[in-house]
Amino acid sequence: MFKDPFDPKTLLKPRCSCGGDHAPADHARLSAVPASDEQRFSRVVDAAVLRAVFPVDAQRRQFLKTVGATTAMAAISSVFPLATAREAFAQGGAPEKKDLKVGFIPITCATPIIMAHPMGFYSKQGLNVEVVKTAGWAVIRDKSLAKEYDAAHMLTPMPLAISLGIGSNPVPWTMPAVENINGQAITLAIKHKDKRNPKDWKGFRFAVPFDYSMHNYLLRYYVAEHGLDPDKDISIRSVPPAEMVANLRADNIDGYLGPDPFNQRAVFDGVGFIHVLTKELWDGHPCCAFTVSKEFATQNPNAYRALLKAIIEATAYASKQENRKEIARAIAPTNYLNQPETVLEQILTGTYADGLGAVKKDPNRIDFDPFPWNQFAIWIMTQMKRWGQLKGDVDYAKVAADVYLATDTANMMKEMGLTPPDPSKKTIVIMGKAFDPAKPNEYVESFAIKRS
Amino acid sequence: MTTLKKSLGLRAALLSLLIFAAIVGLWQIAAQPPAASGPAVDPEYAKLVGAAAATGAKSAMPTPADIGVTIWKHLMDPFYVKGTNDKGIGIQLAYSLGRVLLGFGLAALFAVPLGFLIGMSPLVYRALDPFIQILKPVSPLAWMPLALYTIKDSAISSIFVIFICSVWPMLINTAFGVASVRREWLNVARTLEVGPFRTAFKVILPAAAPTIMTGMRISIGIAWLVIVAAEMLVGGTGIGYFVWNEWNNLSIANIVTAILLIGVVGLLLDQGLARLTKLVTYPE
Amino acid sequence: MDRPLQRPLISVEGLARRFGDSNQPAVFENIWFGIDRGEFVCLIGHSGCGKTTILNVLAGLDQPSDGAVIVDNREIDGPSLDRAVIFQGHALLPWLSVMGNIAFAVSSRWPSWDRAKVQDHARKFIELVGLKGAEAKKPSQLSGGMKQRVGIARALSIQPKMLLMDEPFSALDALTRGMLQDEVLRICADTNQTVFMITHDVDEAILLADKIVLMTNGPGAKIAEIVVNTMPRNERHRNDLHRHPQYYAIRNHLVEFLVNRSKAFDQEIADGSYDPRRLKLVKPGLAAVNPPAEVVPLRHTL
């Protein structure tokens, strides 16, 4: 949008390219809502400085032609702290709101949201974020809808459900970043240690954290692939993660597909064993997400950017294996996950006790990748459709693009020096069966066990 | 007579102590971690799991001694703040008490005057009776989603839930107390040409006060029961949140500590109101 | 028209009361009588004849279905501090002390008085009924007789134009009742109080009343006649009442009425001589001392 002021061919004076009746250099000062790309800010700063040094356009062009843009910048930098000005400007899309509340459910999926607090990712963006532990998914949804939270940790299907008005009034909700991929497991009670084939699970009582969760869809998918109808042959109920271990211990359920730390915690307490990691069903499946209302994102673009940046940085940091022990230590205290550090360490490092006496190693047991692939959203909606949560026709691609903000994330990643993936190139293979996001209806139809 | 009474009290206290000792003793024995019976496990594996799981058993209940240590730890430092989600048990209790007193106080301000009106006017009584009958048996927690949805603030919602659960006993008792003020006391006021306000405050209020206070005592008991559940649901702060947070961590010792403290505070609230009730009770 | 030009202090004129709609038979109807200033009038009749209702109408606590009560030439329309009521069940406010109960009445009578003045005034009446020293006691700490004394003190303390008493001593034991009767007699003499009292105790009526109004049985109860107590007040003493020459004559007349005539009064007046506005004033006591020839001898049935 802004022309490079160091390009000698550019005329700086006449009009701002935004169409306003002001010089481009004044754009940032005059427009209340600055443009979104950070580079544009640096150019605005550079242009302003350059204009101050060479008030006459002709002189500036002459100067640039003679010395070249790089030298010009260096020369000016020597008299004017350009870098500082740029940085000040980048933040000078100063957040409209600095004191933010971000809700989370105390599970390892929320690792980037949580760790960003003790490890300073939020404060680095000039934000004063309070991370608030919340009791359950319905509560986190209601508190988010009530604007008590500015942003919240949700399950990846939830922003879709909220936007579609399933289980609540439709409110436009966006999901600019996925938190974690993988990181869930099916945990069974120790007494079932010999029933490793799902075909033997008839009559089992399972728990999942929420109706609109990857856990629910993956468990249904898994048992259905083994020939069991999840609505008839087993029972599935929604149980808050924290209550899963207690229920398993009390023999109220036979197992659960739940988030960590509660799989590993069942092992730690000798109550259950890890039957299978969800990674083994679908390597790279999304689970939880960082979400904000569309209203918050549009009304507080700078705060939103800063928040997203902090989350993406934290996610990137968490994706590095060597940082995982440090993160486990940071999020173990009562204020955050309130779990034994060793449990978290096993989950994050992937060297874990399986509950049956073996130590297993899988570094990608949980991983962190912020990119909100629209294909994920489409797959989730096919499952909503498959199990009768979603009725009627739906424009899969449009809803996916509206809610899963892949473009925002890609821009932000670029800005941070990360390489965003090509949004169109995502292959999804679940238990050996490929998913073509271009043909969602055919995909739903292809299943033998379904409700619709 | 007095010596007999005294010795009865003493004997009762002794018996209480004995029962307490028996419970604690049985608990201590029952909660002993079982001797290693399972197959010997790989030491590398043992490091990754809890002590009980390493021997092939489920993690055990904490012993009374563990709980004693936990209680002591909490009582030594009840007011620490280590972040939004980690505050001392004293602070959590204070949050809960604050919510209860606020919700209860508002309920009293609402229920006592309205109960007065209902008790004095058979017309109002009949008009409001169906509403009261329908709303009264609703579990207070059932209001929570509605409150969250309409009020859009979880702190106010939990106060509202306290309000709605403590309003009924006070309303019903006030109405009943006012309606059953003895006719002759009202006649005394009438023959003395006492105005309606003076009659309300000097005759009806003191006459109905014991019944009203009984309603308040029931209310505060319910409010204290409900706040724990409400806070477990909504979270954030309060003793209910503390219980929920420790449940997440499967920390039975902390939960038992909280249960004991909830019991003690509930007892104090009840006794406080019992005292007040005694002050306004009159023998006839 | 027919009414006397000079009304008594209290004039009960054509009173009737029915419960429910107007088709129901009246509990009592066409009740006419008057009470003069300083007079002690007792109303005697069986339970259910509406005695208490008449007292409540006089007090302003109940509305008559017909007729009116005129006090000091004005029709009453509600309770008044001029007419103090002493209730059968004492009706003390149990949460207030003796002093509190009386002070409540005093400060209702004189709202502008300060606390000290109210208490001084109240104390006088506590002393009058002999309860000095019991000021701070709660009603529950008092015996039945003491409670009724407080009730009397409360009624007197507002210095009413008249006292209305509804069987004030019926719940007391004989000894206490006697003492209180003496007390009331003394106080009324001292203060020249106008009193209307309901009783079904014949001896109590003879001891206290100057006139005794006899009421027939309900429904449709009427006043049969008014017995004048011809025993002078200063000759009425509880201990030797039965020695008074007029005593048995009066007593027998009353008992005869209660036992027989109250039931059969309608036959007695079948000749049409009865006029509820001009009630017979009978003086059985005088007949006993110098029996006039025309008086029908009394039948002694008891």
Side-chain angles (χ1 to χ4, degrees):
Chain A
M1 205 194 281
F2 287 107
K3 290 162 183 170
D4 186 349
F6 294 102
D7 179 351
K9 290 191 282 293
T10 310
L11 258 167
L12 260 187
K13 201 79 192 234
R15 274 184 83 134
C16 179
S17 55
C18 76
D21 187 22
H22 53 88
D26 295 326
H27 178 93
R29 184 172 51 80
L30 292 171
S31 344
V33 183
S36 64
D37 198 337
E38 197 174 282
Q39 273 122 340
R40 281 179 287 172
F41 283 98
S42 354
R43 293 200 184 156
V44 171
V45 178
D46 293 353
V49 174
L50 214 52
R51 240 170 52 78
V53 179
F54 301 103
V56 183
D57 247 26
Q59 282 180 358
R60 182 187 60 92
R61 269 176 299 180
Q62 188 55 45
F63 172 73
L64 287 174
K65 234 185 235 167
T66 337
V67 301
T70 322
T71 321
M73 255 180 48
I76 290 168
S77 299
S78 65
V79 292
F80 188 87
L82 213 49
T84 319
R86 274 185 202 154
E87 205 169 287
F89 228 93
Q91 285 170 3
E96 296 80 357
K97 195 174 169 195
K98 275 192 170 169
D99 298 320
L100 300 174
K101 273 194 177 173
V102 179
F104 73 93
I105 303 286
I107 54 180
T108 38
C109 302
T111 298
I113 290 179
I114 302 168
M115 65 183 262
H117 186 254
M119 299 175 84
F121 288 95
Y122 294 126
S123 48
K124 191 177 150 199
Q125 300 300 326
L127 297 173
N128 178 23
V129 170
E130 202 182 329
V131 288
V132 187
K133 203 186 296 195
T134 310
W137 298 110
V139 179
I140 213 165
R141 177 193 62 200
D142 291 347
K143 282 190 170 186
S144 299
L145 289 173
K147 295 177 190 167
E148 224 171 286
Y149 294 153
D150 299 295
H153 163 208
M154 286 188 187
L155 294 156
T156 41
M158 285 171 66
L160 292 167
I162 295 174
S163 298
L164 292 166
I166 309 174
S168 67
N169 279 348
V171 175
W173 217 260
T174 68
M175 191 188 101
V178 169
E179 289 285 292
N180 66 312
I181 53 175
N182 302 336
Q184 323 302 308
I186 296 179
T187 298
L188 293 178
I190 294 275
K191 65 173 181 184
H192 296 311
K193 65 180 172 204
D194 298 322
K195 294 190 180 169
R196 300 300 294 268
N197 188 337
K199 289 192 167 59
D200 301 334
W201 289 358
K202 271 205 174 164
F204 271 30
R205 297 151 302 165
F206 278 100
V208 294
F210 200 56
D211 286 344
Y212 310 103
S213 67
M214 285 302 292
H215 310 83
N216 188 19
Y217 305 138
L218 285 173
L219 178 63
R220 284 167 172 271
Y221 192 105
Y222 180 72
V223 297
E225 288 299 293
H226 286 92
L228 295 185
D229 186 317
D231 289 316
K232 291 177 187 147
D233 298 326
I234 59 170
S235 64
I236 300 178
R237 51 178 133 143
S238 191
V239 172
E243 297 169 30
M244 287 176 170
V245 184
N247 273 305
L248 193 67
R249 189 192 167 107
D251 203 20
N252 282 333
I253 50 177
D254 296 289
Y256 50 83
L257 199 161
D260 270 315
F262 297 103
N263 300 301
Q264 200 59 47
R265 190 64 206 256
V267 172
F268 185 81
D269 281 79
V271 174
F273 68 93
I274 293 173
H275 166 69
V276 66
L277 297 176
T278 51
K279 174 179 173 282
E280 296 163 43
L281 314 183
W282 171 3
D283 192 4
H285 73 79
C287 173
C288 288
F290 172 78
T291 72
V292 294
S293 70
K294 197 156 200 160
E295 186 186 330
F296 178 83
T298 42
Q299 285 181 359
N300 309 280
N302 296 333
Y304 165 66
R305 275 168 49 84
L307 205 49
L308 183 53
K309 208 166 164 187
I311 294 293
I312 293 175
E313 272 184 14
T315 311
Y317 191 82
S319 69
K320 297 203 173 71
Q321 277 293 328
E322 63 269 27
N323 299 330
R324 298 273 176 90
K325 280 196 178 182
E326 179 196 356
I327 294 169
R329 200 161 42 248
I331 63 176
T334 311
N335 197 26
Y336 305 111
L337 287 189
N338 196 22
Q339 291 291 339
E341 200 180 311
T342 166
V343 169
L344 299 180
E345 208 176 285
Q346 290 177 63
I347 296 159
L348 291 175
T349 61
T351 302
Y352 64 95
D354 69 349
L356 295 172
V359 177
K360 293 201 170 171
K361 283 198 170 68
D362 189 341
N364 289 328
R365 172 179 174 170
I366 186 168
D367 206 349
F368 301 93
D369 178 355
F371 200 73
W373 299 92
N374 285 2
Q375 292 86 336
F376 289 165
I378 297 170
W379 185 83
I380 289 167
M381 284 184 277
T382 63
Q383 299 305 302
M384 287 177 166
K385 187 105 185 162
R386 177 181 181 189
W387 301 118
Q389 286 179 338
L390 186 55
K391 308 234 158 52
D393 288 328
V394 65
D395 187 344
Y396 291 96
K398 183 176 183 306
V399 176
D402 282 352
V403 179
Y404 281 33
L405 302 180
T407 321
D408 274 20
T409 316
N411 286 342
M412 188 68 69
M413 287 173 82
K414 261 186 252 170
E415 199 178 292
M416 292 163 58
L418 302 167
T419 319
D422 180 345
S424 63
K425 292 212 173 99
K426 181 74 188 173
T427 42
I428 294 178
V429 178
I430 303 158
M431 297 177 74
K433 183 179 163 101
F435 165 60
D436 180 359
K439 294 174 181 163
N441 285 323
E442 289 84 340
Y443 182 69
V444 174
E445 286 308 312
S446 71
F447 292 105
I449 299 174
K450 57 177 178 289
R451 292 286 84 77
S452 55
Chain B
M1 182 68 192
T2 44
T3 51
L4 193 75
K5 241 186 197 165
K6 209 184 248 171
S7 77
L8 183 68
L10 201 70
R11 272 154 46 204
L14 268 174
L15 191 60
S16 294
L17 267 176
L18 209 67
I19 294 170
F20 179 73
I23 292 172
V24 168
L26 281 174
W27 180 359
Q28 181 80 36
I29 293 163
Q32 282 304 323
S37 56
V41 286
D42 174 9
E44 196 194 344
Y45 181 84
K47 260 194 284 175
L48 295 178
V49 295
T55 62
K58 291 183 182 182
S59 56
M61 272 289 283
T63 62
D66 297 336
I67 284 161
V69 169
T70 310
I71 292 176
W72 184 249
K73 200 184 77 210
H74 282 297
L75 291 184
M76 282 303 94
D77 188 12
F79 299 112
Y80 70 84
V81 177
K82 285 187 203 153
T84 310
N85 308 307
D86 187 12
K87 293 180 178 129
I89 202 155
I91 294 182
Q92 306 288 23
L93 275 173
Y95 270 112
S96 300
L97 266 177
R99 284 185 190 125
V100 162
L101 294 181
L102 202 60
F104 173 80
L106 289 173
L109 286 181
F110 174 79
V112 173
L114 187 65
F116 236 86
L117 205 67
I118 294 172
M120 290 177 75
S121 156
L123 174 74
V124 180
Y125 176 80
R126 289 212 171 184
L128 292 183
D129 191 49
F131 298 102
I132 296 173
Q133 293 308 328
I134 289 176
L135 295 179
K136 185 183 67 166
V138 174
S139 158
L141 287 182
W143 291 98
M144 189 51 110
L146 184 69
L148 276 176
Y149 187 81
T150 49
I151 303 175
K152 295 196 184 303
D153 184 303
S154 57
I156 300 176
S157 295
S158 31
I159 291 167
F160 169 79
V161 167
I162 295 305
F163 170 88
I164 205 86
C165 76
S166 39
V167 106
W168 309 115
M170 283 195 268
L171 189 66
I172 289 163
N173 269 43
T174 306
F176 176 75
V178 167
S180 47
V181 171
R182 297 248 296 266
R183 182 104 227 127
E184 55 181 37
W185 296 338
L186 295 174
N187 280 343
V188 167
R190 287 177 68 197
T191 57
L192 294 173
E193 291 187 57
V194 179
F197 275 100
R198 197 156 173 259
T199 305
F201 283 103
K202 292 280 182 161
V203 180
I204 299 175
L205 189 62
T211 324
I212 297 174
M213 289 304 294
T214 306
M216 289 188 165
R217 201 172 156 192
I218 299 170
S219 281
I220 201 119
I222 296 175
W224 188 241
L225 286 182
V226 166
I227 192 66
V228 176
E231 285 168 348
M232 284 183 81
L233 204 65
V234 174
T237 46
I239 193 71
Y241 164 78
F242 178 88
V243 170
W244 175 81
N245 195 26
E246 294 307 331
W247 191 14
N248 261 349
N249 192 17
L250 305 171
S251 170
I252 305 298
N254 277 320
I255 292 171
V256 174
T257 305
I259 288 171
L260 290 176
L261 281 173
I262 291 168
V264 168
V265 173
L267 179 79
L268 291 177
L269 285 175
D270 186 63
Q271 288 305 305
L273 273 173
R275 281 259 164 103
L276 287 177
T277 310
K278 222 173 169 185
L279 280 182
V280 298
T281 301
Y282 48 85
E284 279 191 50
Chain C
M1 294 146 278
D2 266 344
R3 285 171 198 165
L5 288 174
Q6 189 66 46
R7 279 205 178 96
L9 174 66
I10 290 139
S11 176
V12 175
E13 303 186 356
L15 226 50
R17 184 75 167 91
R18 39 183 86 75
F19 293 102
D21 60 78
S22 54
N23 299 327
Q24 297 289 318
V27 182
F28 55 79
E29 58 194 353
N30 231 346
I31 302 289
W32 299 74
F33 69 92
I35 302 168
D36 284 321
R37 202 176 292 277
E39 211 169 27
F40 197 124
V41 173
C42 271
L43 179 65
I44 279 196
H46 282 292
S47 307
C49 69
K51 299 190 300 281
T52 297
T53 309
I54 290 180
L55 184 125
N56 281 345
V57 171
L58 284 178
L61 295 171
D62 203 347
Q63 303 289 321
S65 307
D66 251 320
V69 176
I70 316 289
V71 176
D72 255 352
N73 289 315
R74 281 177 53 195
E75 184 177 342
I76 62 162
D77 59 355
S80 160
L81 284 156
D82 287 341
R83 281 163 277 131
V85 183
I86 294 171
F87 296 90
Q88 187 172 7
H90 63 77
L92 298 180
L93 306 179
W95 56 91
L96 293 177
S97 63
V98 169
M99 171 58 84
N101 266 287
I102 295 167
F104 178 64
V106 175
S107 56
S108 302
R109 181 77 169 100
W110 295 282
S112 61
W113 283 12
D114 63 26
R115 200 182 151 81
K117 197 166 179 192
V118 167
Q119 295 212 343
D120 279 348
H121 184 87
R123 203 163 287 121
K124 264 190 279 179
F125 286 86
I126 294 171
E127 282 172 26
L128 182 69
V129 297
L131 284 178
K132 194 172 178 187
E135 288 91 340
K137 289 207 167 113
K138 291 278 169 67
S140 59
Q141 297 166 291
L142 303 177
S143 68
M146 288 165 92
K147 281 185 215 173
Q148 202 49 282
R149 279 166 201 255
V150 179
I152 293 166
R154 179 172 65 188
L156 292 171
S157 73
I158 58 171
Q159 299 183 337
K161 285 189 181 149
M162 72 173 307
L163 275 181
L164 304 170
M165 301 199 225
D166 185 4
E167 305 194 31
F169 311 124
S170 61
L172 305 178
D173 63 274
L175 200 64
T176 316
R177 180 162 58 222
M179 280 166 61
L180 271 180
Q181 285 164 347
D182 284 348
E183 206 109 5
V184 166
L185 208 55
R186 175 178 61 79
I187 291 166
C188 289
D190 287 354
T191 55
N192 196 29
Q193 193 60 254
T194 310
V195 183
F196 176 72
M197 179 167 129
I198 291 172
T199 182
H200 51 232
D201 180 337
V202 170
D203 286 330
E204 185 171 88
I206 299 172
L207 178 67
L208 297 174
D210 302 320
K211 281 182 188 156
I212 300 158
V213 179
L214 303 184
M215 212 165 160
T216 67
N217 292 356
K222 343 178 149 42
I223 292 175
E225 61 192 26
I226 294 172
V227 174
V228 179
N229 187 353
T230 41
M231 292 163 65
R233 276 191 186 185
N234 58 9
E235 290 175 23
R236 294 184 227 145
H237 303 292
R238 194 164 48 88
N239 290 334
D240 49 7
L241 196 64
H242 58 284
R243 293 199 189 100
H244 196 280
Q246 299 186 26
Y247 171 72
Y248 279 108
I250 300 174
R251 188 175 196 280
N252 289 345
H253 185 85
L254 297 178
V255 170
E256 163 67 15
F257 175 79
L258 287 177
V259 173
N260 294 315
R261 292 175 60 213
S262 63
K263 281 186 285 223
F265 188 70
D266 282 345
Q267 295 153 29
E268 196 178 303
I269 58 169
D271 59 0
S273 64
Y274 176 72
D275 179 356
R277 298 194 186 193
R278 292 167 196 278
L279 293 167
K280 260 195 284 182
L281 280 179
V282 294
K283 298 175 179 171
L286 292 184
V289 230
N290 37 13
E294 71 270 26
V295 168
V296 183
L298 293 168
R299 285 173 290 166
H300 297 269
T301 50
L302 272 184

